[in-house]
Amino acid sequence: MLHLLNAMETKQDENFTQILDMVGEFGTFQRKLVALTFIPNILLAFFMFADVFVFAAQTPYCNTSWILAMGPNLSEAEQLNLTLPRGPNGSFQTCLMYVPVAWDLDSIIRFGLNATQSCRNRWIYPESKDRSLINEFDLVCGNEPNMETVQTLFLAGLLIGSLIFGFISDKLGRYPSIVLSLLALIIFGFGTAFVSSFPQYLFFRFGVSQALVGYSISSVSLVTEWLVGEHRAHAIILAHCFFSVGIMFLSGLAYSLPHWRLLFLVGGAPAFAIIFYIWILPESPRWLMMKGKVEEAKQVLGYAACINKKTIPFHLLDELSGKKVTKASVLDFYNNRQLRKVTLMMGCVWFTVGYSHFTLNIKMKDFGMNIPSRQVIHGILKVPTQLWCIFLLEQTGRKWSLGVTLFHGLFMSFLILIFPPELTSMTVLMVLVGECSLAASVTVFFIYTAELLPTVLRATGLGLVSLAWVAGAILSLKLMNQRLTVLSSVLSFISAILALSLCSLLPETQNQPLSDSLDNYPFRKRSLSKDVTTRNAVCDDATDKVVKKNFLSTMNLDEDLFDTSLQ
């Protein structure tokens, strides 16, 4: 009986796959869906890397406007010369000033001032042309921001957001999760331009980081469940290419806009244009089926077929009514042995990628490369690297593509950690190559992870493995900032060996159907043949019904009662 139940469940999944084929593999509807998911990726890159540009270093001097009461016609240079002490090299000291006196201007010029004190009335920045967070909130002279804390807080937002939005996406649906993340992107992204203090800025950055990871998880799940075959991989790769375009967009804006508030206003304004997603974004039919919302799934599939000018046979839609409601929770990642094993292996690989990627990023800062130039170069190099993944995936599959890109990126990371620092040009080249390889591995692994996980827990699983990525990034941040190079090298080597070993144990997902529930997890080994016709499907259905009736008559079971028990 269990064999028959599994066969019937398998047949229902095949019917659903056939319906997606009837809707059209990559018609107008799918192209519009992919385009809708592309656009916000530009904003994700903008808000993710904005910190790189808004903490531009500034040279502060104490505000000594008190002397203008004695000499209102003094120039700025004369004011600084009379009120600021000079250092051994002859330049003005940045955090000290002469103690104000109640003398007239002639006495001050004649006798000069000697007693010094720390700045009392904020600071001025006469040499600065741009307005950054540094001179906006006077983050100087003992008030400097701890950049490690800023980055850790942002990563903590990614960590919490991956859990929250993973749960929301699997519990409430892909559509509500995407809409919530986009609204949060507007509130915390665009709203950053209006903060009035540095703690408020950190709070808004913490909020926007959760929106970023929430949209990434939900959009990947939605695209994975709507598209079939290689179209799924192509869509996710192109989405990551748009992310790289967003990095270049940010670099161009930051170079041309003189004020950090203008940067968030202009860069965040396009977020309002995606509010219309509320009315046009479709829900995932796979998720609807798993939640027992069969009629809604039929409506969504019918709408997609209408847009593509296709027709779905009624008998195939009728077969969907037998799909049972599937319940799952985060505890299944512990209870289900196969799911637990796959998740732990993926988490280890994600940890290694996050650790190595952040290590290379921090290493790049040591070479004093111009920040806008560095970001532009990264964006330009990552686009062809990610497009190359299309060819790699088609020729070698998911497992070997991940192994190749991961090995190349980790090998570059290891070489950089042991390479002589005197060879700067060669080291910079290896850093760039390593970052591009790891960016390619992230793209492949997003595709691979989404295909490995079942529909009922796909977003939650993506959130859990994202935790591992964030953990690796935070650990890299701590080790590199404390200059623990030897420990960092050892950990990089061990994690690389472990990650590459685990990659070989993961199952291949190319040309395999998505797993929807835990009942048939892991994958059933069958091919997604594209030449299955409606006539063959009807014959198979009729054959299954005959087998089912013969089985029930042999067991003396009522057919209606048997169907009810299946549901």
Side-chain angles (χ1 to χ4, degrees):
M1 179 179 283
L2 290 176
H3 178 72
L4 179 61
L5 292 176
N6 289 332
M8 294 175 65
E9 183 72 19
T10 300
K11 186 59 184 177
Q12 289 176 347
D13 291 341
E14 289 176 346
N15 287 338
F16 185 81
T17 302
Q18 191 175 4
I19 289 176
L20 288 181
D21 290 337
M22 292 292 180
V23 169
E25 288 191 3
F26 200 68
T28 304
F29 175 83
Q30 285 86 350
R31 286 194 291 269
K32 288 182 178 179
L33 175 65
V34 170
L36 289 175
T37 58
F38 280 177
I39 297 171
N41 276 284
I42 298 176
L43 294 176
L44 297 192
F46 177 88
F47 289 121
M48 188 167 188
F49 294 102
D51 282 339
V52 175
F53 298 92
V54 297
F55 285 98
Q58 309 285 346
T59 303
Y61 298 109
C62 297
N63 182 6
T64 56
S65 56
W66 60 270
I67 200 173
L68 296 179
M70 294 81 168
N73 296 324
L74 287 174
S75 65
E76 188 177 73
E78 292 172 331
Q79 175 187 339
L80 296 178
N81 190 51
L82 292 173
T83 57
L84 296 181
R86 293 181 181 270
N89 59 356
S91 61
F92 293 118
Q93 296 192 28
T94 57
C95 297
L96 290 176
M97 59 179 284
Y98 288 123
V99 177
V101 295
W103 300 353
D104 58 70
L105 182 61
D106 292 335
S107 299
I108 294 175
I109 295 175
R110 181 178 179 183
F111 298 105
L113 302 176
N114 293 313
T116 60
Q117 64 179 19
S118 58
C119 302
R120 290 288 184 269
N121 189 27
R122 302 189 65 178
W123 290 263
I124 59 174
Y125 306 85
E127 300 174 6
S128 176
K129 297 180 181 179
D130 298 335
R131 191 74 169 173
S132 71
L133 285 172
I134 302 299
N135 51 18
E136 178 79 15
F137 301 121
D138 290 328
L139 305 178
V140 294
C141 298
N143 299 321
E144 291 89 350
N146 187 333
M147 293 308 299
E148 182 179 344
T149 302
V150 173
Q151 291 175 318
T152 302
L153 189 64
F154 187 86
L155 291 172
L158 294 177
L159 187 149
I160 295 174
S162 63
L163 289 177
I164 294 175
F165 280 95
F167 175 79
I168 291 175
S169 184
D170 281 336
K171 197 72 175 178
L172 303 180
R174 316 312 186 205
Y175 167 79
S177 181
I178 289 177
V179 171
L180 284 175
S181 61
L182 291 178
L183 290 177
L185 202 65
I186 295 173
I187 295 171
F188 293 104
F190 183 79
T192 305
F194 303 97
V195 299
S196 57
S197 65
F198 186 60
Q200 285 184 14
Y201 175 84
L202 294 179
F203 174 75
F204 272 70
R205 293 296 293 164
F206 178 75
V208 80
S209 64
Q210 297 181 54
L212 296 178
V213 71
Y215 179 80
S216 297
I217 290 173
S218 303
S219 62
V220 167
S221 298
L222 183 65
V223 169
T224 299
E225 292 161 7
W226 261 112
L227 301 182
V228 296
E230 292 305 318
H231 297 296
R232 182 187 305 131
H234 297 170
I236 296 177
I237 290 171
L238 291 176
H240 283 213
C241 290
F242 271 71
F243 187 87
S244 300
V245 171
I247 296 176
M248 293 184 280
F249 170 66
L250 168 63
S251 303
L253 276 183
Y255 182 79
S256 58
L257 295 177
H259 202 297
W260 71 272
R261 292 189 189 273
L262 280 177
L263 180 64
F264 279 100
L265 285 173
V266 176
F272 288 96
I274 58 180
I275 293 179
F276 71 92
Y277 278 34
I278 296 175
W279 294 280
I280 65 173
L281 199 67
E283 182 56 273
S284 164
R286 286 184 180 272
W287 181 87
L288 290 171
M289 292 294 299
M290 289 298 100
K291 294 300 179 180
K293 301 180 180 181
V294 180
E295 293 304 319
E296 294 181 34
K298 290 180 180 180
Q299 291 176 6
V300 171
L301 290 169
Y303 173 74
C306 181
I307 296 296
N308 290 339
K309 298 180 180 179
K310 301 284 186 178
T311 302
I312 304 175
F314 288 110
H315 71 87
L316 287 179
L317 290 175
D318 291 339
E319 290 291 332
L320 296 181
S321 59
K323 201 77 172 178
K324 63 181 180 180
V325 179
T326 303
K327 294 183 179 180
S329 69
V330 69
L331 295 177
D332 288 312
F333 286 97
Y334 174 78
N335 296 329
N336 188 297
R337 180 176 177 273
Q338 183 66 19
L339 183 61
R340 180 175 69 247
K341 184 173 69 174
V342 170
T343 305
L344 287 175
M345 288 190 291
M346 291 188 297
C348 180
V349 178
W350 273 84
F351 172 87
T352 303
V353 172
Y355 177 83
S356 301
H357 196 275
F358 253 71
T359 299
L360 290 179
N361 190 266
I362 295 172
K363 195 76 174 176
M364 195 68 173
K365 296 177 182 178
D366 296 338
F367 300 109
M369 193 173 179
N370 180 268
I371 292 177
S373 301
R374 189 178 77 201
Q375 294 298 326
V376 170
I377 291 173
H378 284 179
I380 293 175
L381 291 179
K382 285 179 181 178
V383 170
T385 303
Q386 288 162 340
L387 290 176
W388 174 68
C389 290
I390 295 177
F391 170 80
L392 193 62
L393 287 167
E394 290 178 349
Q395 298 299 318
T396 64
R398 284 26 171 178
K399 181 193 294 188
W400 285 106
S401 296
L402 177 61
V404 169
T405 55
L406 189 59
F407 174 79
H408 192 258
L410 294 177
F411 183 69
M412 289 292 107
S413 302
F414 182 71
L415 283 182
I416 291 163
L417 292 174
I418 62 175
F419 212 68
E422 295 81 15
L423 302 176
T424 306
S425 300
M426 184 63 69
T427 306
V428 170
L429 179 60
M430 286 194 298
V431 169
L432 291 174
V433 173
E435 282 195 324
C436 289
S437 297
L438 289 176
S441 67
V442 169
T443 301
V444 173
F445 210 44
F446 252 108
I447 301 168
Y448 200 9
T449 305
E451 292 179 343
L452 279 170
L453 295 168
T455 298
V456 287
L457 289 172
R458 181 165 288 117
T460 304
L462 285 170
L464 289 176
V465 296
S466 297
L467 292 182
W469 184 90
V470 174
I474 292 176
L475 182 60
S476 171
L477 193 63
K478 297 294 183 182
L479 293 179
M480 294 300 290
N481 285 337
Q482 294 178 18
R483 303 295 177 182
L484 300 175
T485 308
V486 176
L487 180 59
S488 179
S489 301
V490 172
L491 182 60
S492 178
F493 179 76
I494 294 174
S495 62
I497 296 297
L498 183 60
L500 290 171
S501 301
L502 293 176
C503 278
S504 63
L505 301 177
L506 291 170
E508 179 58 68
T509 61
Q510 187 176 28
N511 296 327
Q512 294 296 323
L514 293 178
S515 182
D516 286 328
S517 67
L518 294 174
D519 298 334
N520 50 14
Y521 194 82
F523 302 99
R524 295 177 302 277
K525 298 296 183 181
R526 69 178 188 271
S527 176
L528 284 177
S529 178
K530 297 183 180 180
D531 57 354
V532 178
T533 62
T534 304
R535 181 179 300 175
N536 290 336
V538 174
C539 294
D540 290 341
D541 285 345
T543 304
D544 283 351
K545 290 178 180 178
V546 171
V547 172
K548 175 183 171 184
K549 289 183 177 180
N550 291 336
F551 174 83
L552 293 175
S553 62
T554 303
M555 300 296 295
N556 294 321
L557 294 176
D558 182 75
E559 183 173 354
D560 294 334
L561 180 61
F562 182 77
D563 290 336
T564 304
S565 65
L566 287 181
Q567 296 175 0

PDB file of all heavy atoms in Angstrom, residues 447-466:
ATOM      1  N   ILE A 447      21.366  28.769  -6.533  1.00  0.00           N
ATOM      2  CA  ILE A 447      20.572  27.884  -7.399  1.00  0.00           C
ATOM      3  C   ILE A 447      20.510  26.485  -6.815  1.00  0.00           C
ATOM      4  O   ILE A 447      19.441  25.871  -6.703  1.00  0.00           O
ATOM      5  CB  ILE A 447      21.180  27.852  -8.816  1.00  0.00           C
ATOM      6  CG1 ILE A 447      21.209  29.251  -9.419  1.00  0.00           C
ATOM      7  CG2 ILE A 447      20.415  26.892  -9.716  1.00  0.00           C
ATOM      8  CD1 ILE A 447      22.053  29.358 -10.676  1.00  0.00           C
ATOM      9  N   TYR A 448      21.661  25.975  -6.435  1.00  0.00           N
ATOM     10  CA  TYR A 448      21.787  24.609  -5.922  1.00  0.00           C
ATOM     11  C   TYR A 448      20.980  24.419  -4.636  1.00  0.00           C
ATOM     12  O   TYR A 448      20.243  23.443  -4.475  1.00  0.00           O
ATOM     13  CB  TYR A 448      23.268  24.336  -5.674  1.00  0.00           C
ATOM     14  CG  TYR A 448      23.648  22.878  -5.596  1.00  0.00           C
ATOM     15  CD1 TYR A 448      22.759  21.858  -5.929  1.00  0.00           C
ATOM     16  CD2 TYR A 448      24.933  22.512  -5.197  1.00  0.00           C
ATOM     17  CE1 TYR A 448      23.132  20.529  -5.869  1.00  0.00           C
ATOM     18  CE2 TYR A 448      25.315  21.182  -5.125  1.00  0.00           C
ATOM     19  CZ  TYR A 448      24.409  20.192  -5.465  1.00  0.00           C
ATOM     20  OH  TYR A 448      24.782  18.879  -5.391  1.00  0.00           O
ATOM     21  N   THR A 449      21.114  25.376  -3.710  1.00  0.00           N
ATOM     22  CA  THR A 449      20.416  25.263  -2.428  1.00  0.00           C
ATOM     23  C   THR A 449      18.905  25.305  -2.609  1.00  0.00           C
ATOM     24  O   THR A 449      18.172  24.518  -1.995  1.00  0.00           O
ATOM     25  CB  THR A 449      20.849  26.398  -1.484  1.00  0.00           C
ATOM     26  OG1 THR A 449      22.276  26.395  -1.356  1.00  0.00           O
ATOM     27  CG2 THR A 449      20.232  26.229  -0.108  1.00  0.00           C
ATOM     28  N   ALA A 450      18.434  26.207  -3.455  1.00  0.00           N
ATOM     29  CA  ALA A 450      16.994  26.319  -3.685  1.00  0.00           C
ATOM     30  C   ALA A 450      16.428  25.043  -4.294  1.00  0.00           C
ATOM     31  O   ALA A 450      15.290  24.646  -3.997  1.00  0.00           O
ATOM     32  CB  ALA A 450      16.703  27.513  -4.594  1.00  0.00           C
ATOM     33  N   GLU A 451      17.203  24.380  -5.139  1.00  0.00           N
ATOM     34  CA  GLU A 451      16.727  23.142  -5.760  1.00  0.00           C
ATOM     35  C   GLU A 451      16.821  21.948  -4.813  1.00  0.00           C
ATOM     36  O   GLU A 451      16.061  20.989  -4.941  1.00  0.00           O
ATOM     37  CB  GLU A 451      17.527  22.869  -7.030  1.00  0.00           C
ATOM     38  CG  GLU A 451      17.253  23.875  -8.143  1.00  0.00           C
ATOM     39  CD  GLU A 451      18.065  23.611  -9.393  1.00  0.00           C
ATOM     40  OE1 GLU A 451      19.066  22.864  -9.318  1.00  0.00           O
ATOM     41  OE2 GLU A 451      17.709  24.153 -10.455  1.00  0.00           O
ATOM     42  N   LEU A 452      17.760  21.990  -3.891  1.00  0.00           N
ATOM     43  CA  LEU A 452      17.913  20.880  -2.955  1.00  0.00           C
ATOM     44  C   LEU A 452      16.803  20.841  -1.909  1.00  0.00           C
ATOM     45  O   LEU A 452      16.417  19.774  -1.443  1.00  0.00           O
ATOM     46  CB  LEU A 452      19.268  20.986  -2.240  1.00  0.00           C
ATOM     47  CG  LEU A 452      20.499  20.479  -2.998  1.00  0.00           C
ATOM     48  CD1 LEU A 452      21.759  20.889  -2.257  1.00  0.00           C
ATOM     49  CD2 LEU A 452      20.453  18.969  -3.162  1.00  0.00           C
ATOM     50  N   LEU A 453      16.278  22.007  -1.522  1.00  0.00           N
ATOM     51  CA  LEU A 453      15.314  22.080  -0.431  1.00  0.00           C
ATOM     52  C   LEU A 453      13.895  21.837  -0.932  1.00  0.00           C
ATOM     53  O   LEU A 453      13.552  22.226  -2.055  1.00  0.00           O
ATOM     54  CB  LEU A 453      15.396  23.456   0.240  1.00  0.00           C
ATOM     55  CG  LEU A 453      16.716  23.753   0.954  1.00  0.00           C
ATOM     56  CD1 LEU A 453      16.804  25.231   1.310  1.00  0.00           C
ATOM     57  CD2 LEU A 453      16.866  22.897   2.208  1.00  0.00           C
ATOM     58  N   PRO A 454      13.044  21.242  -0.105  1.00  0.00           N
ATOM     59  CA  PRO A 454      11.633  21.041  -0.491  1.00  0.00           C
ATOM     60  C   PRO A 454      10.850  22.353  -0.428  1.00  0.00           C
ATOM     61  O   PRO A 454      11.205  23.261   0.333  1.00  0.00           O
ATOM     62  CB  PRO A 454      11.133  20.034   0.545  1.00  0.00           C
ATOM     63  CG  PRO A 454      11.987  20.274   1.747  1.00  0.00           C
ATOM     64  CD  PRO A 454      13.336  20.646   1.211  1.00  0.00           C
ATOM     65  N   THR A 455       9.779  22.436  -1.199  1.00  0.00           N
ATOM     66  CA  THR A 455       8.989  23.665  -1.280  1.00  0.00           C
ATOM     67  C   THR A 455       8.464  24.116   0.080  1.00  0.00           C
ATOM     68  O   THR A 455       8.469  25.308   0.388  1.00  0.00           O
ATOM     69  CB  THR A 455       7.801  23.457  -2.246  1.00  0.00           C
ATOM     70  OG1 THR A 455       8.315  23.161  -3.548  1.00  0.00           O
ATOM     71  CG2 THR A 455       6.930  24.698  -2.325  1.00  0.00           C
ATOM     72  N   VAL A 456       8.032  23.162   0.907  1.00  0.00           N
ATOM     73  CA  VAL A 456       7.421  23.519   2.186  1.00  0.00           C
ATOM     74  C   VAL A 456       8.407  24.193   3.131  1.00  0.00           C
ATOM     75  O   VAL A 456       8.008  24.910   4.055  1.00  0.00           O
ATOM     76  CB  VAL A 456       6.816  22.281   2.872  1.00  0.00           C
ATOM     77  CG1 VAL A 456       5.555  21.845   2.159  1.00  0.00           C
ATOM     78  CG2 VAL A 456       7.833  21.148   2.950  1.00  0.00           C
ATOM     79  N   LEU A 457       9.709  23.979   2.930  1.00  0.00           N
ATOM     80  CA  LEU A 457      10.720  24.570   3.815  1.00  0.00           C
ATOM     81  C   LEU A 457      11.843  25.239   3.034  1.00  0.00           C
ATOM     82  O   LEU A 457      12.938  25.428   3.559  1.00  0.00           O
ATOM     83  CB  LEU A 457      11.311  23.489   4.731  1.00  0.00           C
ATOM     84  CG  LEU A 457      10.385  22.944   5.825  1.00  0.00           C
ATOM     85  CD1 LEU A 457      11.033  21.762   6.518  1.00  0.00           C
ATOM     86  CD2 LEU A 457      10.063  24.034   6.846  1.00  0.00           C
ATOM     87  N   ARG A 458      11.570  25.616   1.795  1.00  0.00           N
ATOM     88  CA  ARG A 458      12.627  26.164   0.944  1.00  0.00           C
ATOM     89  C   ARG A 458      13.153  27.496   1.495  1.00  0.00           C
ATOM     90  O   ARG A 458      14.374  27.678   1.653  1.00  0.00           O
ATOM     91  CB  ARG A 458      12.113  26.351  -0.483  1.00  0.00           C
ATOM     92  CG  ARG A 458      13.167  26.912  -1.441  1.00  0.00           C
ATOM     93  CD  ARG A 458      12.755  26.744  -2.885  1.00  0.00           C
ATOM     94  NE  ARG A 458      12.840  25.331  -3.266  1.00  0.00           N
ATOM     95  CZ  ARG A 458      11.797  24.609  -3.645  1.00  0.00           C
ATOM     96  NH1 ARG A 458      10.588  25.153  -3.697  1.00  0.00           N
ATOM     97  NH2 ARG A 458      11.953  23.342  -3.970  1.00  0.00           N
ATOM     98  N   ALA A 459      12.278  28.430   1.808  1.00  0.00           N
ATOM     99  CA  ALA A 459      12.714  29.735   2.296  1.00  0.00           C
ATOM    100  C   ALA A 459      13.353  29.622   3.676  1.00  0.00           C
ATOM    101  O   ALA A 459      14.354  30.288   3.961  1.00  0.00           O
ATOM    102  CB  ALA A 459      11.533  30.704   2.333  1.00  0.00           C
ATOM    103  N   THR A 460      12.781  28.798   4.543  1.00  0.00           N
ATOM    104  CA  THR A 460      13.368  28.600   5.871  1.00  0.00           C
ATOM    105  C   THR A 460      14.764  28.008   5.757  1.00  0.00           C
ATOM    106  O   THR A 460      15.691  28.413   6.475  1.00  0.00           O
ATOM    107  CB  THR A 460      12.485  27.675   6.726  1.00  0.00           C
ATOM    108  OG1 THR A 460      11.167  28.226   6.803  1.00  0.00           O
ATOM    109  CG2 THR A 460      13.049  27.534   8.124  1.00  0.00           C
ATOM    110  N   GLY A 461      14.934  27.051   4.849  1.00  0.00           N
ATOM    111  CA  GLY A 461      16.245  26.456   4.637  1.00  0.00           C
ATOM    112  C   GLY A 461      17.260  27.456   4.101  1.00  0.00           C
ATOM    113  O   GLY A 461      18.423  27.486   4.537  1.00  0.00           O
ATOM    114  N   LEU A 462      16.826  28.294   3.162  1.00  0.00           N
ATOM    115  CA  LEU A 462      17.713  29.347   2.656  1.00  0.00           C
ATOM    116  C   LEU A 462      18.103  30.304   3.772  1.00  0.00           C
ATOM    117  O   LEU A 462      19.240  30.795   3.828  1.00  0.00           O
ATOM    118  CB  LEU A 462      17.026  30.117   1.523  1.00  0.00           C
ATOM    119  CG  LEU A 462      16.939  29.399   0.170  1.00  0.00           C
ATOM    120  CD1 LEU A 462      16.026  30.163  -0.788  1.00  0.00           C
ATOM    121  CD2 LEU A 462      18.323  29.245  -0.446  1.00  0.00           C
ATOM    122  N   GLY A 463      17.157  30.582   4.680  1.00  0.00           N
ATOM    123  CA  GLY A 463      17.469  31.429   5.817  1.00  0.00           C
ATOM    124  C   GLY A 463      18.477  30.791   6.751  1.00  0.00           C
ATOM    125  O   GLY A 463      19.395  31.462   7.248  1.00  0.00           O
ATOM    126  N   LEU A 464      18.352  29.488   6.987  1.00  0.00           N
ATOM    127  CA  LEU A 464      19.275  28.801   7.892  1.00  0.00           C
ATOM    128  C   LEU A 464      20.692  28.749   7.325  1.00  0.00           C
ATOM    129  O   LEU A 464      21.666  28.967   8.058  1.00  0.00           O
ATOM    130  CB  LEU A 464      18.766  27.382   8.162  1.00  0.00           C
ATOM    131  CG  LEU A 464      17.513  27.269   9.045  1.00  0.00           C
ATOM    132  CD1 LEU A 464      17.075  25.823   9.157  1.00  0.00           C
ATOM    133  CD2 LEU A 464      17.778  27.855  10.433  1.00  0.00           C
ATOM    134  N   VAL A 465      20.825  28.454   6.039  1.00  0.00           N
ATOM    135  CA  VAL A 465      22.172  28.418   5.471  1.00  0.00           C
ATOM    136  C   VAL A 465      22.755  29.827   5.357  1.00  0.00           C
ATOM    137  O   VAL A 465      23.982  30.000   5.382  1.00  0.00           O
ATOM    138  CB  VAL A 465      22.186  27.709   4.093  1.00  0.00           C
ATOM    139  CG1 VAL A 465      21.788  26.257   4.233  1.00  0.00           C
ATOM    140  CG2 VAL A 465      21.282  28.409   3.092  1.00  0.00           C
ATOM    141  N   SER A 466      21.896  30.841   5.269  1.00  0.00           N
ATOM    142  CA  SER A 466      22.382  32.219   5.292  1.00  0.00           C
ATOM    143  C   SER A 466      22.991  32.562   6.640  1.00  0.00           C
ATOM    144  O   SER A 466      23.914  33.382   6.731  1.00  0.00           O
ATOM    145  CB  SER A 466      21.240  33.196   4.973  1.00  0.00           C
ATOM    146  OG  SER A 466      20.741  32.996   3.672  1.00  0.00           O
TER     147      SER A 466
END
